[in-house]
Structures are given as structure tokens and as C-alpha cells.
Amino acid sequence: MIGDTLLIALYAAIGAAVAGLAGTAALRLLRNRSVALSLAVVAAVTVAAMLAGTILVSWAMLLSEHDLWVVTMVCAMAAVASLAVSLLLGRSVVRGSRALAEATRALGDDGRFTPPATAPTAELAELSRQLAATSARLAASREREKALESSRRELVAWISHDLRTPLAGLRAMTEALEDGVVDDPGVYHTRIRTEVERMSDMVSDLFELSRIQAGVLALTPTRLSAYDLVGDALAGADALAREHGVRLVGDAVEKVPVEVDGREMSRVLANLLVNAIRRTPADGTVAVSARREADRVVLAVTDGCGGIPPEDLPRVFDTGWRGTDARTPPAGAGLGLAIVRGIVEAHQGRAAVCNVPGGCRFEVHLPVAP
């Protein structure tokens, strides 16, 4: 009994192997053809393997021709049904693939990807979702690139304007000094030094911004107290505040630890304070606070500028942005807030701005030190 079973299994395996080899050869020949043909071959191989094994077993067991005919007819009907189903599935997959190819071609032409309404298989549906996500990321990247290019053009125009005016003044003053038509050369020397220092600060800001945008800003994080950072920043901005008649307040400062590059973060606070003092009218107040919120430390600078138009809030940290009233030298080159955002993001933080009654508040969100 066991011997007969082994013999039947052997003949069935021989028939299946022959059909499998033939199917493999057919698939290799059709590897560059439609998937519908490949599915038809797979269905044919399945039926052929069953039929070949049945015929060999029937021959070995000396079954009657009638029984063999019955088995053959059953296998033939199964083959017809299998081929019909495989062809239907193949055509469905081909239609879905072509629709996906057309949508992908549109992605290359105009950058937009509209996924097909339906996908015949889970794999094609997943591929469609991935292409849609990629298209969305590419669209966002293009928008960022356009915004960055626009900011660059504005920056070049404004820097050119800001440099042309002091350079013209420097040339006029030096010519006046050379011609000896100046009654008090010391006044001109002071003005020249002031203009040179302003242009030097502008070049320094450009260099800092270029390092940030190139991703080569070297940070040396150390554990510091937000209280000490704010205290040093307030001390550094006190003279400017007195000059503008602005009162500095730093009462709401918690002693929470942060792990930051002290020099770069001091520059962030200095830029925010200078910007706030220059925008706040005389007898106004600039308040600085530091508090802990969950796993973040929030440093905030609140001024009395009167607020920023809502449509300008998303652009405040863009390179070269200086607002609608900014074409005068005190407004700077529009680099300070862009540098603030770059340094904060290099610390895995986030810079934000919002309007408050009478002014606006700039916030720096940083991770709490471990």
C-alpha cells in the first residue's frame, strides 16, 4: 500500500516537474510581454501539471480509457475556467498599470500626479499612494524653492540699495576731505567710521546666513540656564534701549536648563531684542520671558510695535523681509530674523511670531536639556 502511494507521488511529481519546466521556459520567453500572458501561462502550468500527473498515474495503474477520458475532460474544463479567470485578471492589471503609467507621465510633464480612481491590486494601490505622496512633497519643495528664490531677489535688491547709499556718502566725504573743503574733518571721520561699521555688520550677517543655509554652522552645545542667557542679552541691549527711550523688562524668566551653543543663542536673543527696541516707540516696553512647557523651553520677546499685518506674519522670518515700511537704514538688511530662524532650527527648535495687544511676540522653542 505504501509502495503504491510512493509510486503515485513519483509519477505525479514527474508530470508536475515537466509542466513546471515548460512553464518556466515560456515565462522567460514572455518576460518582456504583458502580465496578462504571464498569468495565462501560470494558469496553464497549473492545469497542465495536474493533467500530466493524472495521465501518468492512470497509465501506471492501467486505468480504462473511459476513466482516462473522464479525467481529461475534467482537467480541460478546469483549464478553460483557469485561463478565463487569469485573462480577466491580467486585463484588469494591465488597465490599472496603464492608468498608473499615464498618471506618472503627467507627474513628469507638469509636476502634478492624479492617482487613478481604482487599482486592481494592493501593490498598485500602494504604489499610487507613494507616488501621490512624492508628488505632494515635490510640490511643496517647488513652492519653497520659489519662495526662497523670491527672497533672494529681494535680498539682492535691498542689499544693493543699502550699500549704494552709504558708498555714495563715503565717496562724497572722502572727496571733500581730499579737496580740503571740510571745516571739521573729525565729524567726517566719525561718519565714515559709522558707515563702515554698518556695512561691516551687514557683511557679517550675510556670512552668517550663508553658513546657515549651507548647513555648515558649527555648534558647540553646552548646558546653560535660560535665566543666564536672558540676563546677558538684556545687559547687552540696555544701552540701545536707553538710546531709544525703551524700557526693558525681564521679570518672567524661569531658571530652566537648555543645551545650546551659548554664542549663537546669545546672537538670537540679541537680534530679537534689537529688532524689538527699534520697532517700539519711545516710552514703550520690551518684555523678555522664559518658561518651560512640557518638554520645551519657550523664550519670548514682546515689543510694542503695534502689530504685524496678518498677511505678513508667514514671511517675517524670510530672508530679506523687512516689512512694508522698511527701506531706511535702521531697518537693517532684513537678515536678523532669518538668522534667528536658522540658528534656532539648527538647535532642533522652532521660531514663531504672533500679534499681541499693542505689539507682537517672537518666540523661540527649544528642547529642554536632559
Side-chain angles (χ1 to χ4, degrees), residues 343-366:
I343 294 176
V344 171
E345 290 180 350
H347 284 85
Q348 308 302 315
R350 178 175 62 88
V353 60
C354 63
N355 284 324
V356 297
C360 58
R361 181 171 63 245
F362 288 85
E363 294 184 347
V364 172
H365 298 249
L366 296 170

Side-chain angles (χ1 to χ4, degrees), residues 57-93:
V57 171
S58 301
W59 173 77
M61 297 180 64
L62 301 176
L63 295 179
S64 65
E65 293 184 0
H66 177 270
D67 293 340
L68 183 59
W69 172 252
V70 171
V71 173
T72 303
M73 287 299 297
V74 171
C75 292
M77 294 300 103
V80 171
S82 299
L83 289 173
V85 172
S86 62
L87 287 175
L88 288 174
L89 176 60
R91 291 184 62 183
S92 175
V93 172

Side-chain angles (χ1 to χ4, degrees), residues 31-298:
R31 61 181 177 272
N32 294 325
R33 304 295 294 275
S34 172
V35 68
L37 289 177
S38 298
L39 289 174
V41 169
V42 171
V45 167
T46 303
V47 177
M50 181 178 62
L51 183 60
T54 301
I55 292 175
L56 286 176
V57 171
S58 301
W59 173 77
M61 297 180 64
L62 301 176
L63 295 179
S64 65
E65 293 184 0
H66 177 270
D67 293 340
L68 183 59
W69 172 252
V70 171
V71 173
T72 303
M73 287 299 297
V74 171
C75 292
M77 294 300 103
V80 171
S82 299
L83 289 173
V85 172
S86 62
L87 287 175
L88 288 174
L89 176 60
R91 291 184 62 183
S92 175
V93 172
V94 168
R95 284 196 302 269
S97 299
R98 288 176 178 172
L100 189 58
E102 289 295 329
T104 306
R105 189 176 298 111
L107 174 62
D109 293 338
D110 58 13
R112 291 192 299 269
F113 176 78
T114 303
T118 58
T121 65
E123 290 77 10
L124 289 179
E126 177 62 23
L127 178 58
S128 179
R129 286 191 292 270
Q130 292 297 329
L131 287 173
T134 301
S135 174
R137 288 194 294 269
L138 288 175
S141 177
R142 283 191 295 270
E143 290 300 323
R144 287 194 300 270
E145 185 177 353
K146 289 180 181 178
L148 185 59
E149 183 61 29
S150 176
S151 296
R152 288 196 185 103
R153 287 195 297 267
E154 291 179 355
L155 177 63
V156 171
W158 292 352
I159 289 291
S160 301
H161 174 273
D162 287 347
L163 288 177
R164 184 168 59 247
T165 301
L167 286 174
L170 287 172
R171 180 165 58 184
M173 287 186 285
T174 53
E175 290 175 353
L177 289 171
E178 289 175 353
D179 295 339
V181 297
V182 180
D183 295 333
D184 187 0
V187 174
Y188 275 49
H189 290 155
T190 301
R191 292 180 181 176
I192 290 174
R193 184 183 302 109
T194 300
E195 294 298 331
V196 170
E197 288 177 352
R198 190 167 68 84
M199 288 190 293
S200 177
D201 291 340
M202 190 182 303
V203 172
S204 176
D205 286 345
L206 283 171
F207 178 70
E208 182 77 2
L209 187 62
S210 67
R211 288 199 304 156
I212 291 172
Q213 293 182 343
V216 295
L217 181 64
L219 298 178
T220 307
T222 55
R223 187 182 179 90
L224 300 171
S225 170
Y227 184 86
D228 295 334
L229 277 175
V230 172
D232 292 343
L234 290 174
D238 184 66
L240 182 65
R242 291 178 182 274
E243 179 183 345
H244 286 74
V246 175
R247 189 166 63 99
L248 293 179
V249 176
D251 298 334
V253 180
E254 300 178 7
K255 296 181 179 180
V256 290
V258 289
E259 191 165 341
V260 296
D261 186 303
R263 184 175 65 88
E264 296 295 342
M265 196 51 58
S266 295
R267 180 164 191 165
V268 166
L269 292 175
N271 284 358
L272 292 178
L273 282 171
V274 169
N275 183 71
I277 292 170
R278 287 177 173 171
R279 298 291 182 179
T280 300
D283 296 330
T285 300
V286 172
V288 185
S289 64
R291 65 187 186 278
R292 177 168 182 167
E293 293 183 356
D295 60 343
R296 313 290 286 180
V297 174
V298 181

